[in-house]
Amino acid sequence: MPAPAAAAARGPVRRDWRGGRPFWGGLLVTLGGAEILFTLWAPLPVLLHIGMAGLAGYLVPVVMVVCGLLILFNPGQRLFYSILAVLASLATWVTSNLGGFLIGMLLGVVGSCLTFGWLPDQPLRRGRQRREDRRAQRRAAAGA
C-alpha cells in the first residue's frame, strides 16, 4: 500500500478520535498547566524553605495538567474535570506567578470553558455536512 493511501486511510480515524472528545479544551488546559509549571523554575531546596505556599505553586498546575489529560482520555467525566480545571486555573493567580504571567491561567480558563460547553453527538454544521456529503459522493463514484 503506498504511503498516501495509508495516510488517507488513517486520516478519518484520527479525526474520529478527536471529534469524539473535547480535544481543544483538553489540549488548552494541559498547555496552560505546563506553561505555569515552566514559569516556576525554583529549585527544590528553595521550595522546602518556603513551605506549603511554595508547594501549592507546583501542585495547582500539576492538577491542571492532570485535568487536561483526563479531559482528553476520559471525556465521559468532562464536566467535573472542567470545573476542577477552571478552579485550579483561577487559583494559579495567587499561587503561581500571577497564573504563569496570565498566559497559563487564560489558557486554562478558555480550555475549561470549551470543555464545559462541548456536547457529544451533536449534528454536523451545514458546511461540514456538505463537505462530508461530497466526500461520500466521490468515494461512491470512485468505487463504481
Side-chain angles (χ1 to χ4, degrees):
M1 181 184 267
R10 235 184 16 230
V13 172
R14 188 175 309 137
R15 189 173 297 127
D16 290 342
W17 185 85
R18 255 190 3 206
R21 62 197 69 245
F23 177 76
W24 292 109
L27 184 67
L28 288 177
V29 171
T30 304
L31 289 176
E35 193 273 333
I36 293 169
L37 280 173
F38 285 129
T39 61
L40 298 172
W41 286 99
L44 188 59
V46 173
L47 185 86
L48 293 176
H49 289 307
I50 293 173
M52 288 303 290
L55 183 63
Y58 283 96
L59 187 62
V60 174
V62 167
V63 168
M64 285 178 63
V65 169
V66 169
C67 282
L69 292 174
L70 286 171
I71 287 168
L72 288 174
F73 294 109
N74 188 11
Q77 300 295 322
R78 71 188 179 283
L79 296 177
F80 174 71
Y81 297 141
S82 66
I83 291 170
L84 189 62
V86 78
L87 292 175
S89 298
L90 293 173
T92 61
W93 177 262
V94 178
T95 62
S96 306
N97 294 336
L98 297 177
F101 305 115
L102 292 176
I103 296 169
M105 184 184 73
L106 289 177
L107 284 173
V109 168
V110 169
S112 299
C113 292
L114 284 174
T115 301
F116 192 82
W118 180 80
L119 294 173
D121 302 329
Q122 59 185 346
L124 294 175
R125 291 177 297 202
R126 211 171 347 141
R128 177 91 186 252
Q129 184 63 47
R130 274 191 246 135
R131 284 194 302 268
E132 294 294 325
D133 291 342
R134 277 187 253 148
R135 283 187 193 130
Q137 288 174 355
R138 278 189 234 132
R139 285 188 201 120

